[in-house]
Amino acid sequence: MTRYAVHNDRHELICCWDAGYGETARTVAVLPATAHLLQRLVLAEALSRLSRQLWRCYTHPASALSSTAPNTEGWRRQQTRDSFSLVPKAIREPNLPNDDGTLIVSYDLVEEAAHLVGRALCDIEDADLTRAVIADVEVELAAVEQAECGDITGRAQQAVTMTREDVSPAQVAAADRLLAEHTLGSDELFLHFDPTAAAVAAAHWLAAAAAAVEDLADIPAIAAVRAADKIEALPHTTPTAVLEMIDDGWTPANAVLSLVQEAMVIADGELPLGSAAAYAIIEADADSGIPGRPPAPSAIRLTPLDPRRPARDLLEDLLAGIRGCRLLYNKYHESDSTAGADHVSADISIAFRKAVRAQAHAHQDRLA
């Protein structure tokens, strides 16, 4: 999301957003001298809240749910997304308190956030500031719409730090092409791609890398990352879970979205009833009250992902898993011992990429 702040020394309203590595900032408007500090801060907070609600429509799209029938969660999400067109008008003509102090408040979070911005601007009463704020909000609206279409450039680049419940097929295909060229991953995945979509492509290539190791070393694909952890410390839990899911017939997209969506629910303070964590809590609670049973654990891991950044965390772990497969391939590859070390390393790298690409191509239908 875009965060707004007040630069009091320069009397400016500024905004900034995360661009993947570091943040980008710009000046929104010059603040009138007549606006006191509290009014300025209220405006900045209202704009940050509006941005948060706008980007939540991106991270929690109606398309991620099975139904948009009336009064379902999918329907509510679509209603909120449709209210984007109401935002500029709500800022220009916000709901204001009546003479008796009553105020109409919208049930729609996006629309009400826009009214909050409008009321903050009414308190300051500066036409130039209002025009500048509306222009900036329109840029923000366009950035969300651009990210929804899979274009993560310009102001929409902040989407690279967000976790989305759904994926853009175009983004998955682009990330797949990038991994075909850079099998171990590259910075571009973190700078120009929605991390959930990139993680789907990375899961496909991890499965291909694990299969290449299995062919070479007779190590089961699902155990490849755990085996590599014995060579070099790796975050093996999540990649192994993804490999097991794919081995059970899950597509990379279903595996990634299942883990990501579960972590997003947990981040919102809820616990999915069908999750492994829920079963662990139920079992621990039952065990703790029965004499002779082992005591309940002092802590239960609710998700293997970081719930504050689940998609990006998953992408990092999957790429680490591919690098782990490369370590195993290096260990078990039969090469000419008389060749120089540089030649051996180069030969193994070429052989690994060739084997992984062959596996990925053979199972390309997984990404369909």
Side-chain angles (χ1 to χ4, degrees):
M1 57 167 279
T2 300
R3 293 172 296 280
Y4 292 80
V6 173
H7 195 310
N8 272 319
D9 292 341
R10 290 163 46 180
H11 301 286
E12 290 179 346
L13 176 68
I14 61 175
C15 67
C16 64
W17 57 88
D18 199 328
Y21 295 141
E23 297 199 350
T24 298
R26 68 179 295 269
T27 299
V28 176
V30 175
L31 294 163
T34 54
H36 56 71
L37 178 58
L38 181 58
Q39 289 175 318
R40 297 176 177 189
L41 294 176
V42 167
L43 175 60
E45 170 60 25
L47 283 164
S48 295
R49 182 180 301 188
L50 174 59
S51 176
R52 186 182 306 115
Q53 296 302 333
L54 295 177
W55 282 102
R56 185 174 175 83
C57 292
Y58 169 77
T59 58
H60 295 71
S63 61
L65 301 178
S66 58
S67 174
T68 54
N71 297 319
T72 63
E73 176 61 21
W75 175 81
R76 282 187 285 272
R77 289 186 182 186
Q78 190 58 53
Q79 293 286 104
T80 299
R81 176 60 183 82
D82 292 342
S83 67
F84 275 30
S85 61
L86 305 176
V87 168
K89 185 177 186 296
I91 295 176
R92 290 189 189 95
E93 304 171 15
N95 293 334
L96 299 173
N98 295 329
D99 292 338
D100 60 1
T102 60
L103 176 68
I104 296 175
V105 176
S106 174
Y107 282 105
D108 184 88
L109 296 178
V110 164
E111 185 179 1
E112 183 55 29
H115 282 291
L116 282 172
V117 173
R119 288 195 285 272
L121 288 168
C122 282
D123 284 343
I124 296 175
E125 294 183 305
D126 185 271
D128 290 338
L129 176 61
T130 298
R131 281 192 292 270
V133 165
I134 291 174
D136 188 77
V137 169
E138 287 175 338
V139 172
E140 187 80 348
L141 287 164
V144 177
E145 294 170 353
Q146 182 181 316
E148 289 173 333
C149 296
D151 183 359
I152 313 293
T153 57
R155 190 147 164 175
Q157 191 175 5
Q158 58 190 292
V160 301
T161 65
M162 300 179 187
T163 295
R164 196 169 192 239
E165 285 186 340
D166 201 1
V167 291
S168 160
Q171 281 269 305
V172 173
D176 177 56
R177 291 192 295 270
L178 180 62
L179 284 165
E181 184 178 353
H182 303 284
T183 310
L184 300 179
S186 74
D187 287 342
E188 286 188 56
L189 282 175
F190 297 95
L191 289 172
H192 304 300
F193 290 87
D194 161 49
T196 307
V200 171
H204 169 60
W205 284 87
L206 171 62
V213 168
E214 184 177 53
D215 288 346
L216 176 68
D218 197 27
I219 295 174
I222 59 174
V225 183
R226 278 200 303 264
D229 181 58
K230 293 179 171 55
I231 301 174
E232 178 183 303
L234 293 167
H236 58 83
T237 302
T238 305
T240 299
V242 170
L243 288 172
E244 290 173 345
M245 294 165 83
I246 292 176
D247 187 63
D248 287 340
W250 294 54
T251 65
N254 286 339
V256 165
L257 288 174
S258 174
L259 289 169
V260 165
Q261 290 172 0
E262 182 176 284
M264 292 177 74
V265 172
I266 290 170
D268 284 339
E270 299 178 2
L271 184 63
L273 291 178
S275 66
Y279 285 124
I281 290 173
I282 293 170
E283 291 174 0
D285 185 60
D287 290 347
S288 64
I290 300 176
R293 288 282 188 92
S298 58
I300 296 173
R301 180 75 182 178
L302 298 182
T303 169
L305 305 178
D306 182 345
R308 295 163 298 186
R309 50 192 292 280
R312 201 170 172 95
D313 185 44
L314 177 57
L315 176 59
E316 291 169 354
D317 287 357
L318 294 175
L319 293 177
I322 296 174
R323 291 193 294 273
C325 291
R326 170 67 174 80
L327 289 173
L328 279 179
Y329 201 89
N330 181 73
K331 178 179 179 180
Y332 288 96
H333 191 273
E334 294 180 3
S335 56
D336 184 359
S337 60
T338 61
D342 291 341
H343 290 294
V344 171
S345 178
D347 288 345
I348 294 175
S349 294
I350 293 170
F352 177 73
R353 288 197 299 270
K354 183 177 180 181
V356 174
R357 286 168 180 162
Q359 288 287 346
H361 179 73
H363 298 90
Q364 193 66 25
D365 59 310
R366 286 189 300 223
L367 285 180

